[in-house]
Amino acid sequence: MNHIAALERLKQGNQRFTEQLKQGSDPVPKKVQLQAEQNPMAIILGCSDARVPAELVFDQGLGDLFVIRVAGNIVAPSQIGSIEFAAATFGTPLVVVLGHSQCGAIAATLDQLTSDSTSTSPNLESIVSRIAPGISTLLEMPGSQDKATLTHYAVRANIRASVGQLRQGSRILEQLIGSGELTVVGAQYYIESGEVEFFE
Ligand SMILES: [Zn+2]
């Protein structure tokens, strides 16, 4: 499967998911069957937020997605290593950085950037400090006093920042991308509707 086919399957899966939501039925993955092997068509770097489980929102079954979840869908060495492993081992052609509306990690980072407070935990700080550089310039944007607007743009900027960091994340990833074997795209999940918007 190439990255275009994988992208199409994710889009169709999310469409099924939102249709199930509208019908009020519980979204159930189609393929709840044990898999002896994994052959993931996509790698998802998503947020840990309890409302955004990748397999459900893309309506995929066991073995279909290689999922890395971390608050704020940040890129740190362990995320890059996980992606290198999946891309090299399974030949997975697509990485999706999946951010989402109402992201707590983004809100916490914005709070810290707009006040003098710092995180009490160095571990939490390691997440905030990876998000901050990608969104700090938004504070100078007209309209940034409006918290909802600022958060909206910050979520998107953070997704794009992670995409950029992965594209230049390592020699292995650069080689796979350069040879056309791997494509990295950004996408935003909307908590309000269940829809995923893929960035171009
Ligand atoms: Zn989040």
Side-chain angles (χ1 to χ4, degrees):
M1 189 184 299
N2 63 24
H3 80 272
I4 295 166
L7 204 51
E8 194 49 42
R9 279 181 60 178
L10 293 181
K11 286 178 181 173
Q12 288 173 1
N14 181 244
Q15 206 166 356
R16 289 195 299 274
F17 174 71
T18 54
E19 277 161 16
Q20 285 164 342
L21 285 178
K22 281 176 199 150
Q23 288 162 9
S25 58
D26 288 339
V28 176
K30 289 285 178 293
K31 290 166 275 177
V32 189
Q33 287 173 9
L34 297 174
Q35 305 287 323
E37 309 273 336
Q38 58 171 327
N39 186 21
M41 62 167 171
I43 300 162
I44 312 289
L45 173 58
C47 182
S48 301
D49 192 295
R51 298 164 292 182
V52 198
E55 290 87 349
L56 289 182
V57 305
F58 289 120
D59 192 32
Q60 299 299 318
L62 308 187
D64 289 336
L65 300 178
F66 189 93
V67 181
I68 303 150
R69 288 176 70 181
V70 57
N73 39 272
I74 57 162
V75 174
S78 54
Q79 278 81 53
I80 294 173
S82 300
I83 292 169
E84 285 178 353
F85 168 76
T89 309
F90 310 118
T92 307
L94 178 67
V95 180
V96 179
V97 175
L98 183 66
H100 66 97
S101 59
Q102 300 178 31
C103 183
I106 299 293
T109 307
L110 286 172
D111 277 351
Q112 201 158 310
L113 285 169
T114 52
S115 70
D116 292 333
S117 70
T118 50
S119 174
T120 49
S121 154
N123 307 304
L124 264 177
E125 180 58 30
S126 74
I127 293 174
V128 167
S129 67
R130 286 187 190 275
I131 297 173
I135 66 174
S136 58
T137 55
L138 293 173
L139 295 169
E140 288 139 40
M141 170 187 83
S144 67
Q145 294 78 5
D146 179 57
K147 203 169 178 181
T149 307
L150 180 61
T151 305
H152 171 76
Y153 284 109
V155 163
R156 298 174 81 81
N158 181 56
I159 294 165
R160 291 203 168 90
S162 286
V163 168
Q165 286 160 24
L166 285 182
R167 284 181 181 158
Q168 292 162 2
S170 72
R171 201 172 48 82
I172 293 173
L173 293 187
E174 276 182 38
Q175 277 174 355
L176 288 167
I177 292 166
S179 63
E181 292 167 83
L182 187 70
T183 299
V184 184
V185 301
Q188 182 179 349
Y189 176 78
Y190 290 86
I191 296 276
E192 303 79 8
S193 67
E195 281 167 44
V196 174
E197 174 200 358
F198 285 90
F199 298 174
E200 291 313 314

